[in-house]
Amino acid sequence: MKALALLAVAVGCSGQPADLGLDEPVRVRGGQFIAGPLPGADTDAPAITLVETQGSVVRVGQGSKVISGRTSTDAVAVGIAFAELGTGYWVSPLGPRDPTAGNELTWSLDLSLAWDLPIGPAALDVVAIDDAEHAGRPQRIDVCVRPDLLDNSATCNPELAPPDTVLSLAWDTSVDLDLWVITPDGKQVDASHPSTISHDPPITQAELSGPGVGQLDRDSNAGCRIDGINREALVFQTPPAPGTYVVYANLHDACGNASVNFSARLYRAEPQDVGARLVEVERQDGRLLGAAANGGRGPGLYLMQLAL
């Protein structure tokens, strides 16, 4: 009966299957998306009795954020949605009873977050739903959304300072795309040469921490070992050495894909009322065909010059 009740919740009064919810700010693995506002009432039955999550900071594009807890014994499902974001909510059936907590029902939601989530404070609302489709009082989970780049956690903690400058290359397909940058003194920065320091290795940690030095944060999808991140960034904790930086997007390997869309973006730290945050100041979008893959034998597609 509970399975039938959950199906009734998922289908709704219209009798039509729910939308897939692929464009929503949050998705729930194994859940069912329903268009419309998250239900809820000013009542404690059915109730969310416990919410558990590791940390309140989430990241745009985060692939797995687990939130769990318990409900009162009269619930059959939980519903969740971002407050004031999206066009609907997700429902998911409950797990087993917890004999150590009065046989309350357990729940666990594996969330995937959208890439276009607004940066900064946000909130998730979760409700318990019974077999008559009644929802109880929503429980609010306050979170802070940080960007998908190294910001030293400054977005969610204004007492921390972000990097001075970040040059990011992000793309939409599982390919081995590399950010290449030529520095003012002619140093080639790429996955094999991941810092702006001009001399050959060995390079000390003290040098990497020095003023004006930039470092690549990762080599995403290297050798077509897909990590799902699809982004690389050259990060300067302090102001870059002055001069002109030339930026390229190099398709090392298409990994069997026909094409890839990408976006190169420059962020600079700008003061806010409290602290500072990274702000996008320049952007170049583009597309590369799979046939452009060169195995790293050149810098790739010229994108722009930056006077830093």
Side-chain angles (χ1 to χ4, degrees):
M1 179 175 294
K2 289 184 178 179
L4 292 176
L6 179 60
L7 179 60
V9 172
V11 172
C13 297
S14 68
Q16 297 298 318
D19 192 346
L20 293 177
L22 298 179
D23 295 326
E24 291 300 304
V26 64
R27 298 186 296 277
V28 177
R29 187 186 303 274
Q32 173 69 58
F33 178 73
I34 302 175
L38 181 72
D42 190 18
T43 175
D44 291 327
I48 298 290
T49 59
L50 177 69
V51 174
E52 293 182 317
T53 182
Q54 291 189 342
S56 60
V57 177
V58 297
R59 171 180 54 81
V60 297
Q62 184 169 340
S64 184
K65 171 67 176 177
V66 176
I67 299 177
S68 58
R70 297 194 302 267
T71 72
S72 54
T73 58
D74 53 348
V76 298
V78 291
I80 192 168
F82 266 106
E84 301 178 0
L85 292 175
T87 64
Y89 62 99
W90 294 84
V91 291
S92 182
L94 299 177
R97 296 181 182 276
D98 184 348
T100 68
N103 280 328
E104 289 184 343
L105 291 148
T106 59
W107 56 274
S108 181
L109 304 176
D110 187 350
L111 312 181
S112 295
L113 306 181
W115 288 96
D116 58 354
L117 269 178
I119 301 300
L124 287 157
D125 287 333
V126 60
V127 297
I129 303 171
D130 65 19
D131 58 4
E133 303 181 33
H134 296 144
R137 193 189 315 274
Q139 295 292 313
R140 179 149 290 188
I141 306 167
D142 291 319
V143 297
C144 181
V145 182
R146 70 171 180 84
D148 181 46
L149 49 83
L150 181 65
D151 75 335
N152 299 344
S153 298
T155 297
C156 297
N157 185 350
E159 295 183 359
L160 300 175
D164 179 86
T165 302
V166 176
L167 175 60
S168 172
L169 178 68
W171 57 95
D172 67 350
T173 307
S174 296
V175 303
D176 184 0
L177 186 65
D178 291 325
L179 174 65
W180 282 45
V181 178
I182 307 300
T183 69
D185 62 2
K187 168 67 183 293
Q188 173 183 304
V189 180
D190 58 31
S192 300
H193 313 87
S195 82
T196 61
I197 294 176
S198 58
H199 69 75
D200 294 332
I203 296 172
T204 67
Q205 186 58 47
E207 289 178 296
L208 291 173
S209 302
V213 173
Q215 296 184 68
L216 283 176
D217 66 342
R218 61 168 56 87
D219 182 9
S220 181
N221 297 340
C224 293
R225 296 186 296 274
I226 305 304
D227 56 26
I229 297 174
N230 294 357
R231 186 193 55 74
E232 298 176 3
L234 181 59
V235 180
F236 296 84
Q237 295 294 341
T238 57
T244 299
Y245 293 75
V246 186
V247 183
Y248 299 84
N250 181 64
L251 186 58
H252 187 98
D253 194 323
C255 306
N257 293 284
S259 63
V260 58
N261 299 302
F262 63 82
S263 180
R265 305 185 189 193
L266 177 67
Y267 300 85
R268 304 300 299 265
E270 293 189 2
Q272 306 293 304
D273 292 338
V274 179
R277 66 180 296 181
L278 291 172
V279 176
E280 181 184 319
V281 296
E282 196 154 348
R283 173 174 178 170
Q284 179 67 55
D285 298 334
R287 183 170 183 261
L288 281 165
L289 297 179
N294 65 14
R297 292 185 296 274
L301 178 68
Y302 167 80
L303 299 183
M304 55 186 169
Q305 294 188 31
L306 299 172
L308 301 181

